Amino acid sequence: MNNFAIVGATGLVGLSFLQLLQEKQILPQKLSLFASENSKGKILKFADNTYSVQTLEKGCFQGVDVAFFSAGGAVSKAWAPQAVQEGARVIDNSSTFRMDPEIPLLVPEVNAHHLEDQQLIANPNCSTIQMCLVLSPLHSEFELESVQVATYQSVSGAGAGALEKLKSESLSYLQGGSSYVAFNCTPHIGNITEDGFSLEDTKMCAETRKILDHPQLNITAFTVRVPTLFSHGEVLWVSFKKAPKHRQHLLDVLQKQKGLKVMTAIDEYPDNSCTTGEDDVFVGRIHQAPHNPRQWLMWVSADNIRKGAALNGLQIAQLLMDKTSKKN
């Protein structure tokens, strides 16, 4: 099970997937790279080889074991079922299939037990992934009562075009030009619906309930786009049904979570610039609410392109490969 395809190979997440494959020394026997018509014929290097980017067409997934989709919802909706029909396992990074009750939504460190023999697996939202790495062990030990989250999400979450826009606007603004993205915060991600929540707010809440197997979880989110390049930051207000005995008790629980780095000093926290390029999710500034012993506050940061997308997808692929090797 070592023939891979990447759909959206020239985007930020696709390129990160290639980088991670090389870093982890996971070298496919066959690698197929797909992107839009604009990128057709572009040459990408991987493991001392060069690959020509192709466009999607019927039959292109034949012989592919795992296809990683990161080219947007419309592409996933049209082509992921085709890839499955042609025999590939699909790991989809769009929101298209995340809330389908028949399709697992996986953060491998949290709910790998949901992976059975499905041909299509959904990769969660980047901001949801890092939050669930923190919430999962806390829920197991103390039982979540409610969660409020405010996010501070980098522009790379909106793609390579947004990243370049931030860079160009920053230079322009410093020379007297106007700015929309640079030096600005936008208090919504996606359209704002009639109830006042943005699409990103709603996605975070629904996905978290599904990943944690907690459909009645009282959770609200307020997502903000900020003018940083990479890594998302989040402030969590977490209330428990069972109060931790003391701060160290809560820290001990968090430190057992695989993939999570806990900064234990009361004044210690992870800068987004420090978490960029890292595989782990980081949590710090962990402190108790002054008038509620069952509510705790903390700051969470992670690289939204690595753990928030490509790395999580690669970890899912590794689970698939492990399951296949055990069967054989």
Side-chain angles (χ1 to χ4, degrees), residues 35-99:
S36 67
E37 190 70 34
N38 291 336
S39 297
K40 185 177 181 180
K42 184 175 181 179
I43 301 299
L44 295 179
K45 292 183 178 180
F46 173 74
D48 298 323
N49 294 313
T50 57
Y51 295 83
S52 178
V53 175
Q54 310 166 57
T55 52
L56 295 169
E57 58 183 31
K58 189 174 181 180
C60 66
F61 294 104
Q62 290 180 2
V64 171
D65 296 313
V66 178
F68 184 77
F69 274 68
S70 189
V75 173
S76 292
K77 185 175 182 180
W79 287 97
Q82 180 70 31
V84 169
Q85 187 177 342
E86 293 176 10
R89 295 283 187 97
V90 171
I91 300 166
D92 182 51
N93 197 49
S94 78
S95 62
T96 305
F97 305 104
R98 289 174 184 161
M99 298 315 299

Side-chain angles (χ1 to χ4, degrees), residues 9 13 15 32-33 71 80 89 128 135 161 172 202 209 244 246 249 313:
V13 176
L15 293 173
S32 302
L33 305 181
R89 295 283 187 97
T128 304
L135 293 181
S172 174
T202 304
R209 293 185 183 107
H246 39 66
H249 183 194

